Amino acid sequence: MEGNQSVATLIDSTTCKIQQLQKAFAELESHRALTLNLKWKQLEEHFHGLEKSLKRRFNELEDQEKEFEMKTMEAQQLLEKREAAVVAKEQDSLRRLQEKRDAAVFAIVNALGKHDKLSSSGHAVVASENRAGVPIMEEKPLDAMAAESNLEDVKGSSEIENVELKSYPQLIKLCEDMDSEGLHKFISDNRKNLAAMREEIPQALKAAMDPARFVLDSLEDFYRIEIPNLDGKKDANLLGLRRTCIMLMECLSILLTNPDLGPVSEVSDDVKEIAKAIAEEWKPKLDALDIDASNGNSLEAHAFLQLLATFGIASDFDQEEISRLIPMVSRRRQTADLCRSLGLSEKMPGVIEILINSGRQIDAVNLAFAFELTEQFSPVPLLKSYLKEARKASSPLKPGNASPTAQNEVNERELTALKAVIKCIEDHKLEEEYPLDPLQKRVVQLEKAKADKKRATEAAKPQPKRPRANGVGYGPRATNVAADKTFYARVTDRYPQYIYDRPYVYPVSTDNHGPSLLGSATYNLSPSHGNYFGNGYQYQAPYLH
């Protein structure tokens, strides 16, 4: 308002200024040497016009200000009314809650009063014996007997919970009998519920006479004779057995290191010697690993490392040789914990360097985050490098000469690489440093092209001929084929198929192999392998072991 008053004062002083200007103009006209074309009347009209325009605009602004103040006041009043209504509702709710609470307390007090009257009048006669062995009769209040009974029930239930398991009590029996073969079969039969069962296995192992020796016995068939399937893949039952062996060793580690599971005897020296002998037997077999090892998914290497970590025998082996096995298991989720258990944290920069040089930047990024080495190995440049190499490996053919099948494979490899990079960015929250929008747009573009090609291929397929209306040339259409068909139930394997949780592709280079992993160990890779997409086994449980 003070600003408005100052503006009004200036406008009111305009007339005085005009009069002063008129005097100055008259004095100027009296001294003129030449006749001026401009008359005072014209100047006066001009200034009066400006004065009126300013006053009109000023009045408009004042009206708008008053209107705004009025609306502000109305809104403030409305907010105060709503606030008062909310406070009133809160007070009403608190009042009703207090009434209900008082009623509940009153009911409890009445019930306790009735109970006290009954307990004071009623006593139970309990038989007991004195020191001489003569039976005597003793009176006890009913509530005291109820309290003792409840205490005994609680003690009994707690003792039962310490021995039995909620979902799979069969595990206790198998572990008590040291039946490793039966345990393998039970786990394979219940593999759909593997996540829940795995939580109970450490507790079940306590029932075994010697848990460590029991787990060692379960490793007996880990390297049985492999029977390849017709498509050249490994026996699915053997893969499942090996995953179960790894899981049992992990559960034994949990039992030995988790104080909440109760006291457990440490691994004896005799058992350690047996474990060391098994490790010495497995070690040469790591020299001739398949392509899973070059892609970071080797079950054999994982089992060897888990054996060393679980039974505490890593110090009996060369640490440098052990660290060379880490790239073989870099894509498995237990890798970081395994490395810490084996005391390989200081070796991780070298392991990450090997992964980067072999074109496995995503594994390198995961390990860099796990061991807080992101300053030494910046994640974003590594991911960009991986994507660049994947695109380069995905476009070896000229666009004009590429067949539809080859082009589909190229697009599929790039799509897999993009999804892997996006997942890595999301897992480690790198969206600010590496925006997802361009990558997601490219994924949509590739998926659309893939869907279009699939529709075009299906449209190009010859359509089956339909039977004629009169039935000439074709037999009558069957209306109940299902009733006449003989259905053969699919025989399921003991171990269902699996799929790894990181389905990204690493291009396998034939001229960029790292040093041998154990002594003279080399990868058995042929140039015909090309790019490998992890393994193709479908694992039906959420836990991957």
Side-chain angles (χ1 to χ4, degrees):
M1 296 301 295
E2 293 179 358
N4 295 341
Q5 292 176 358
S6 61
V7 173
T9 304
L10 290 175
I11 292 176
D12 293 339
S13 63
T14 305
T15 305
C16 181
K17 298 290 184 183
I18 292 175
Q19 292 176 355
Q20 293 177 3
L21 182 61
Q22 182 180 5
K23 292 178 181 179
F25 187 81
E27 185 178 354
L28 177 64
E29 196 174 28
S30 63
H31 295 288
R32 67 182 180 182
L34 300 173
T35 303
L36 293 175
N37 294 327
L38 186 63
K39 299 297 182 181
W40 167 248
K41 193 65 175 176
Q42 296 175 346
L43 288 174
E44 188 177 17
E45 291 175 355
H46 173 69
F47 283 112
H48 280 301
L50 290 176
E51 183 183 9
K52 292 178 180 178
S53 177
L54 288 173
K55 285 183 176 180
R56 184 176 65 253
R57 182 58 180 162
F58 177 73
N59 292 332
E60 291 176 356
L61 290 174
E62 276 190 332
D63 294 340
Q64 291 178 2
E65 184 180 8
K66 291 178 181 178
E67 184 180 358
F68 175 74
E69 289 178 351
M70 186 66 66
K71 288 182 179 180
T72 304
M73 190 180 301
E74 291 176 355
Q76 188 173 0
Q77 291 174 354
L78 181 61
L79 286 175
E80 290 176 354
K81 290 180 181 179
R82 291 183 178 179
E83 184 178 0
V86 170
V87 172
K89 288 182 179 179
E90 289 180 353
Q91 294 295 333
D92 185 54
S93 299
L94 290 174
R95 180 183 54 78
R96 285 184 291 171
L97 180 61
Q98 187 63 39
E99 290 176 356
K100 292 181 179 179
R101 185 182 300 172
D102 294 340
V105 171
F106 181 73
I108 293 172
V109 170
N110 287 339
L112 287 175
K114 293 179 181 178
H115 179 71
D116 292 339
K117 291 179 181 179
L118 291 174
S119 61
S120 61
S121 59
H123 289 78
V125 179
V126 181
S128 62
E129 293 181 354
N130 60 8
R131 294 182 181 180
V134 180
I136 61 173
M137 305 306 292
E138 178 184 358
E139 285 189 352
K140 284 189 177 181
L142 294 176
D143 54 350
M145 291 186 61
E148 290 178 359
S149 176
N150 292 336
L151 183 60
E152 290 176 359
D153 292 340
V154 170
K155 289 181 179 178
S157 63
S158 63
E159 291 175 357
I160 292 173
E161 287 177 358
N162 288 335
V163 178
E164 295 184 358
L165 298 178
K166 295 180 180 179
S167 303
Y168 300 97
Q170 302 94 323
L171 290 172
I172 287 286
K173 178 63 176 173
L174 293 170
C175 293
E176 284 179 346
D177 297 341
M178 300 280 282
D179 185 3
S180 59
E181 184 178 352
L183 182 61
H184 271 285
K185 185 178 185 305
F186 181 80
I187 292 174
S188 67
D189 291 342
N190 295 276
R191 191 162 294 276
K192 290 183 178 180
N193 303 319
L194 186 62
M197 185 166 51
R198 185 181 184 275
E199 298 295 328
E200 300 186 4
I201 290 178
Q203 185 70 30
L205 289 175
K206 286 184 63 177
M209 184 181 303
D210 189 345
R213 182 58 189 269
F214 178 47
V215 172
L216 277 183
D217 292 342
S218 69
L219 307 179
E220 181 181 359
D221 292 333
F222 189 88
Y223 272 106
R224 69 183 182 187
I225 300 175
E226 299 180 10
I227 304 175
N229 295 330
L230 296 177
D231 58 357
K233 294 179 181 178
K234 287 184 178 179
D235 181 14
N237 291 342
L238 180 59
L239 290 173
L241 183 144
R242 288 179 174 176
R243 288 183 173 89
T244 300
C245 291
I246 294 172
M247 183 189 70
L248 290 175
M249 287 191 285
E250 291 173 349
C251 291
L252 178 61
S253 295
I254 295 173
L255 176 62
L256 295 174
T257 57
N258 191 348
D260 295 337
L261 296 177
V264 181
S265 59
E266 296 183 357
V267 180
S268 64
D269 294 337
D270 294 340
V271 173
K272 285 187 177 181
E273 287 298 324
I274 298 174
K276 183 179 177 182
I278 295 175
E280 293 286 357
E281 181 185 353
W282 286 3
K283 182 179 174 184
K285 297 178 180 180
L286 300 177
D287 294 348
L289 290 177
D290 56 10
I291 198 168
D292 281 351
S294 65
N295 213 39
N297 277 326
S298 172
L299 289 175
E300 296 89 340
H302 186 182
F304 179 81
L305 294 173
Q306 191 66 55
L307 179 66
L308 302 186
T310 300
F311 293 91
I313 56 175
S315 58
D316 296 327
F317 294 84
D318 183 17
Q319 199 174 40
E320 194 67 31
E321 290 186 351
I322 296 175
S323 66
R324 290 174 187 164
L325 294 174
I326 301 303
M328 293 185 178
V329 297
S330 58
R331 281 180 60 185
R332 303 193 68 79
R333 64 172 180 81
Q334 305 95 327
T335 301
D337 292 336
L338 261 181
C339 292
R340 295 188 185 97
S341 300
L342 296 169
L344 299 178
S345 298
E346 296 181 356
K347 300 284 185 182
M348 295 317 296
V351 173
I352 294 174
E353 287 284 357
I354 292 174
L355 293 173
I356 294 173
N357 295 335
S358 58
R360 292 156 63 180
Q361 290 88 340
I362 291 183
D363 288 349
V365 170
N366 291 329
L367 289 178
F369 273 100
F371 290 92
E372 299 181 356
L373 296 172
T374 52
E375 293 185 1
Q376 184 176 352
F377 302 97
S378 183
V380 173
L382 290 177
L383 294 177
K384 290 182 178 179
S385 172
Y386 167 73
L387 202 55
K388 181 178 179 182
E389 292 180 10
R391 285 170 176 164
K392 188 186 300 183
S394 299
S395 55
L397 302 174
K398 295 181 180 180
N401 299 331
S403 64
T405 304
Q407 188 61 42
N408 289 342
E409 293 177 356
V410 167
N411 292 345
E412 189 66 31
R413 284 195 291 268
E414 183 181 357
L415 184 61
T416 303
L418 284 167
K419 290 181 177 179
V421 171
I422 290 173
K423 185 179 185 302
C424 188
I425 293 172
E426 292 175 344
D427 289 345
H428 301 297
K429 297 178 175 57
L430 297 171
E431 290 87 345
E432 293 184 2
E433 303 174 43
Y434 198 167
L436 291 176
D437 190 51
L439 303 178
Q440 291 172 341
K441 287 181 179 178
R442 179 59 178 164
V443 168
V444 172
Q445 181 182 357
L446 290 173
E447 288 182 338
K448 183 177 182 301
K450 180 180 177 181
D452 292 343
K453 288 180 181 179
K454 184 178 180 180
R455 283 195 294 268
T457 304
E458 292 177 352
K461 289 181 180 179
Q463 299 294 330
K465 294 182 179 180
R466 296 181 179 178
R468 297 179 183 178
N470 56 6
V472 177
Y474 296 93
R477 183 177 179 181
T479 58
N480 191 11
V481 180
D484 299 331
K485 273 190 177 180
T486 303
F487 287 91
Y488 294 91
R490 184 173 64 89
V491 180
T492 58
D493 294 327
R494 280 180 56 190
Y495 297 92
Q497 294 179 329
Y498 303 85
I499 187 168
Y500 286 108
D501 57 345
R502 296 179 183 169
Y504 45 83
V505 55
Y506 281 130
V508 179
S509 174
T510 59
D511 57 352
N512 188 20
H513 292 303
S516 61
L517 296 171
L518 285 176
S520 60
T522 57
Y523 290 131
N524 292 339
L525 301 177
S526 64
S528 61
H529 279 305
N531 294 317
Y532 183 66
F533 289 87
N535 80 344
Y537 301 107
Q538 182 180 1
Y539 184 61
Q540 299 184 8
Y543 168 70
L544 301 177
H545 65 279

